[in-house]
Amino acid sequence: MKRKHLISALFFAFFNLCRGAPVDVSLESFFIKTRDLSNREPMEFGFLRTRLDTRLELENDQSFYFELHQETFLGSRFLNSLEFQTLDSLKPDLPVDTILLRSSNGIAEHRLKLFRSFYQVSDLDSTWTVGLQRIALGVGRIWNPLDVLHPKDSGGLQPELQSPIFGVHGEIYPSALSKLQVFTTLGDSFHTRVKGIHYQWFAGGWDRGWTLLQSPMNKVLGFQMEGNLGNSGLEGRIEGGLFEDRSTSKRDAQAVVGIDYGFPNAASIAVEYFYNRKGSRDLPQNSTSLSLGRQLPYQGSHYLGIMAAYPLTPTRSLSGLTIANLSDESVLFSMGWTHSIGQTREWGLGFQLSRGSSGSEFGFRTDTLYLHFSTFF
């Protein structure tokens, strides 16, 4: 409780400090029709989010960045469902409680969350960031095994929404074509959660990188490559790592191989193969259609994913994703349609279909239909 009061006090002090800085505001809402994971009964609910972010520029290339989310879940059946209990249990390992306010009346639940808050200082040779932030690792489009700090569920409705971590992150630039990242992240009670180093350089037409991560329980040694495949117009990428359990010395591996192609009309397609020697035998009880920055405990060893986008007109577009578990032959398929209204508003609709035998990975998931609206200020 004291920790929550502390972060609330810091939030209001920082908000007061940033009163003169430009503030960006966005609103987004979802209406979702799906089924309860526990009994497969039809279920409808709404989700609304208001984002407020601002950056306060100081002297000598210093700045504060702040992002606040106000979230509302609507629907009494949803608030009592396994779906909501799953979302509620996915709390990031942080030294501070980022939920500043929370209230519920049985029909709606409201949350005020601190999503990003960090201090940053830069010069010609380095950039250092301290606080609630995102540290991006890996090059995969659909899967990112090396990004253990921000694992994602590409089959979720908002895979781009990455949960925050708390830590110190430095980017050092030895040359114009290389970058060294060093970081330490902190968890509950300010214990060291993950320490890491990542070195990236450009050679032979490819960006290349090595990554070493270490936590009290695990150690990861990874590599990545990304670049153009000659003059074909294709872009290729490779990402993989060895994962060692420090208590048992057991080693597993994950790797991604993918290619992208962009067409002259701005359409694009990406194909990825995911090898997962860490495959789990357990049903993905934490999979949800509204997953917010959470990677599934993938069961299989071999996956194929295809992601595509096609602009119908300058204001309308289609996008789709197919993920196939080649081990149990289950499939997740999603498609979305969006329409832009001017420069600041967008609405769309989409669906997700899961197919597979009883007990298969994606056979456990429920089909989902959704309507989405967003606006920006």
Side-chain angles (χ1 to χ4, degrees):
M1 184 61 68
K2 290 182 179 179
R3 221 184 295 167
K4 176 177 287 191
H5 291 163
L6 173 62
I7 195 66
S8 298
L10 292 174
F11 153 65
F12 287 113
F14 181 74
F15 184 77
N16 185 66
L17 185 65
C18 292
R19 282 187 302 174
V23 176
D24 294 324
V25 179
S26 65
L27 307 174
E28 56 186 340
S29 60
F30 285 91
F31 174 76
I32 299 170
K33 184 177 180 63
T34 184
R35 291 181 180 272
D36 193 316
L37 288 172
S38 60
N39 55 27
R40 303 289 162 162
E41 292 294 322
M43 179 175 64
E44 300 170 352
F45 63 96
F47 175 69
L48 299 90
R49 176 187 290 112
T50 302
R51 303 190 196 194
L52 180 151
D53 66 90
T54 184
R55 182 182 291 271
L56 177 64
E57 300 290 348
L58 305 175
E59 296 179 353
N60 302 320
D61 294 316
Q62 301 177 76
S63 64
F64 281 103
Y65 178 81
F66 165 82
E67 183 175 337
L68 183 71
H69 288 188
Q70 193 281 326
E71 299 176 346
T72 299
F73 298 91
L74 297 168
S76 56
R77 168 171 274 184
F78 175 68
L79 294 179
N80 293 301
S81 68
L82 176 61
E83 184 97 346
F84 182 74
Q85 294 172 22
T86 299
L87 286 171
D88 205 31
S89 67
L90 302 180
K91 297 179 180 178
D93 184 9
L94 297 170
V96 294
D97 189 347
T98 57
I99 299 180
L100 307 177
L101 299 171
R102 180 173 181 169
S103 65
S104 178
N105 58 14
I107 299 176
E109 172 154 327
H110 309 278
R111 301 177 182 180
L112 184 64
K113 297 170 59 177
L114 189 60
F115 194 69
R116 298 279 191 269
S117 180
F118 57 78
Y119 164 77
Q120 190 171 78
V121 57
S122 303
D123 58 31
L124 294 177
D125 301 318
S126 64
T127 298
W128 293 89
T129 307
V130 181
L132 286 172
Q133 58 185 291
R134 178 173 185 255
I135 302 174
L137 298 171
V139 295
R141 292 284 190 266
I142 302 174
W143 294 279
N144 57 344
L146 289 183
D147 200 349
V148 299
L149 299 174
H150 306 280
K152 66 180 179 180
D153 174 15
S154 292
L157 295 187
Q158 296 183 297
E160 76 285 354
L161 192 66
Q162 304 289 301
S163 296
I165 59 94
F166 186 93
V168 179
H169 173 221
E171 291 190 354
I172 303 168
Y173 315 110
S175 70
L177 299 177
S178 63
K179 178 176 69 174
L180 175 67
Q181 293 177 256
V182 292
F183 53 86
T184 297
T185 70
L186 303 177
D188 189 38
S189 300
F190 289 90
H191 73 270
T192 300
R193 183 180 168 216
V194 178
K195 296 183 292 185
I197 182 170
H198 172 75
Y199 181 66
Q200 184 174 326
W201 73 100
F202 181 83
W206 288 71
D207 284 312
R208 308 159 188 259
W210 287 99
T211 303
L212 177 63
L213 307 173
Q214 185 170 296
S215 72
M217 296 299 297
N218 298 285
K219 184 164 61 176
V220 181
L221 177 61
F223 70 95
Q224 65 185 53
M225 293 179 62
E226 183 176 34
N228 295 323
L229 299 175
N231 298 319
S232 64
L234 294 170
E235 183 177 275
R237 62 183 44 82
I238 302 172
E239 174 186 340
L242 293 175
F243 299 77
E244 180 180 332
D245 187 321
R246 299 180 68 185
S247 62
T248 64
S249 297
K250 179 183 177 181
R251 293 183 178 179
D252 287 310
Q254 290 183 329
V256 168
V257 178
I259 56 172
D260 297 0
Y261 186 78
F263 296 89
N265 66 346
S268 63
I269 186 170
V271 180
E272 281 189 359
Y273 165 74
F274 176 40
Y275 171 69
N276 178 41
R277 204 170 76 183
K278 297 176 65 177
S280 168
R281 295 290 182 180
D282 300 324
L283 279 174
Q285 300 292 335
N286 68 339
S287 62
T288 75
S289 60
L290 193 68
S291 57
L292 306 178
R294 174 76 175 189
Q295 185 161 313
L296 297 177
Y298 288 104
Q299 292 177 264
S301 298
H302 305 278
Y303 291 83
L304 183 66
I306 302 175
M307 180 185 294
Y310 184 81
L312 299 170
T313 69
T315 60
R316 299 179 179 89
S317 63
L318 281 174
S319 61
L321 171 70
T322 299
I323 297 177
N325 182 332
L326 304 180
S327 302
D328 65 14
E329 299 181 353
S330 63
V331 178
L332 174 69
F333 175 73
S334 65
M335 179 168 285
W337 178 84
T338 59
H339 174 60
S340 299
I341 306 172
Q343 299 293 321
T344 61
R345 288 175 291 168
E346 179 182 281
W347 73 277
L349 54 87
F351 63 86
Q352 295 180 337
L353 302 177
S354 301
R355 295 295 180 265
S357 60
S358 176
S360 65
E361 180 169 8
F362 297 123
F364 176 81
R365 280 190 144 191
T366 60
D367 295 342
T368 300
L369 178 68
Y370 66 89
L371 179 67
H372 172 250
F373 174 79
S374 62
T375 184
F376 311 92
F377 302 94

